Amino acid sequence: EADIYQTPRYLVIGTGKKITLECSQTMGHDKMYWYQQDPGMELHLIHYSYGVNSTEKGDLSSESTVSRIRTEHFPLTLESARPSHTSQYLCASTAGGPSYRFNNEQFFGPGTRLTVL
Amino acid sequence: KQEVTQIPAALSVPEGENLVLNCSFTDSAIYNLQWFRQDPGKGLTSLLLIQSSQREQTSGRLNASLDKSSGRSTLYIAASQPGDSATYLCAVLPSNDYKLSFGAGTTVTVRA
């Protein structure tokens, strides 16, 4: 079982503010992901990382940026928040390699619900 | 591009009835298939993972089958309970990448 932490769980901010959504995992997973999900809608991959200093954009274009300086930490930043960024942001990581029973099983954090006024 | 479809989009059953949720995918070159549960406003909880070489996985009242050649998986939930009410998503991991392709989910309501 993987432990993935996301902070804050809820965030309400004004337009134009810079925000960072935190995501960390304690299992040493090399692969981490950020998804965006509007209420009742599908998940969309916005960023992913396969290791330290490696980040890629996902299928859905996003104005956010990410960094991966440490294996366990994968923060997402919005330089200037807008109402269109209002959504739920979900972080995930994947176990892989011969030491895991279920290779490449993906685990999710609890999510951050962002509201931009 | 892998397309994952879940039918039906919503399902309402009385308590005690067995649930059958369907997932289909277009590209059979998969590494594994994973079933998740999502409660409103929450993250996803992994329920079952089936490797491409397996035909089924079981956990308690849950059983998931996989027919890779026909591009189908089915999640069975026996003797449903109101606490089973949630959205269930399936996702496939391709054999040549580490990014999951998700279905849109089936929203289940179990009536007491």
Side-chain angles (χ1 to χ4, degrees):
Chain A
E1 190 72 28
D3 292 323
I4 302 179
Y5 305 97
Q6 289 188 246
T7 58
R9 292 292 313 280
Y10 305 91
L11 180 61
V12 180
I13 60 167
T15 297
K17 299 291 186 183
K18 177 180 178 179
I19 60 167
T20 297
L21 307 185
E22 301 287 351
C23 175
S24 60
Q25 47 91 8
T26 60
M27 297 301 290
H29 293 173
D30 55 351
K31 302 173 190 65
M32 297 189 72
Y33 309 81
W34 276 104
Y35 295 87
Q36 184 174 342
Q37 185 182 36
D38 293 329
M41 304 298 285
E42 297 179 38
L43 281 166
H44 293 285
L45 180 68
I46 52 175
H47 297 284
Y48 61 99
S49 167
Y50 291 166
V52 171
N53 294 324
S54 163
T55 61
E56 300 287 345
K57 290 187 179 295
D59 304 322
L60 180 69
S61 176
S62 173
E63 293 167 348
S64 59
T65 59
V66 293
S67 63
R68 190 89 183 276
I69 299 172
R70 304 198 314 265
T71 297
E72 64 272 19
H73 195 213
F74 191 39
L76 181 146
T77 298
L78 278 165
E79 291 292 334
S80 179
R82 295 207 300 265
S84 61
H85 296 140
T86 294
S87 190
Q88 174 155 303
Y89 293 84
L90 294 166
C91 181
S93 70
T94 297
S99 62
Y100 289 93
R101 181 182 176 190
F102 296 117
N103 286 350
N104 290 299
E105 183 174 6
Q106 191 156 126
F107 298 96
F108 280 77
T112 293
R113 183 165 295 283
L114 173 65
T115 303
V116 184
L117 303 176
Chain B
K1 184 179 183 292
Q2 179 75 269
E3 300 288 338
V4 182
T5 304
Q6 292 187 247
I7 295 173
L11 186 60
S12 179
V13 299
E15 183 177 3
E17 191 165 302
N18 296 332
L19 287 163
V20 180
L21 308 179
N22 298 301
C23 172
S24 62
F25 48 95
T26 54
D27 187 348
S28 62
I30 67 169
Y31 186 83
N32 64 37
L33 184 144
Q34 203 168 346
W35 280 95
F36 294 91
R37 168 186 171 136
Q38 185 176 32
D39 294 296
K42 307 291 186 182
L44 278 66
T45 299
S46 179
L47 297 175
L48 289 168
L49 181 146
I50 311 176
Q51 300 287 6
S52 62
S53 57
Q54 297 175 315
R55 294 299 298 252
E56 67 176 345
Q57 277 288 342
T58 298
S59 176
R61 294 184 295 112
L62 276 60
N63 174 276
S65 66
L66 174 65
D67 185 341
K68 197 173 68 165
S69 61
S70 67
R72 294 180 183 178
S73 176
T74 302
L75 178 66
Y76 300 90
I77 303 178
S80 62
Q81 304 167 358
D84 294 329
S85 298
T87 296
Y88 294 82
L89 296 98
C90 74
V92 296
L93 186 70
S95 56
N96 60 353
D97 199 357
Y98 295 108
K99 292 181 287 183
L100 285 172
S101 294
F102 281 87
T106 294
T107 299
V108 172
T109 303
V110 180
R111 308 185 303 271

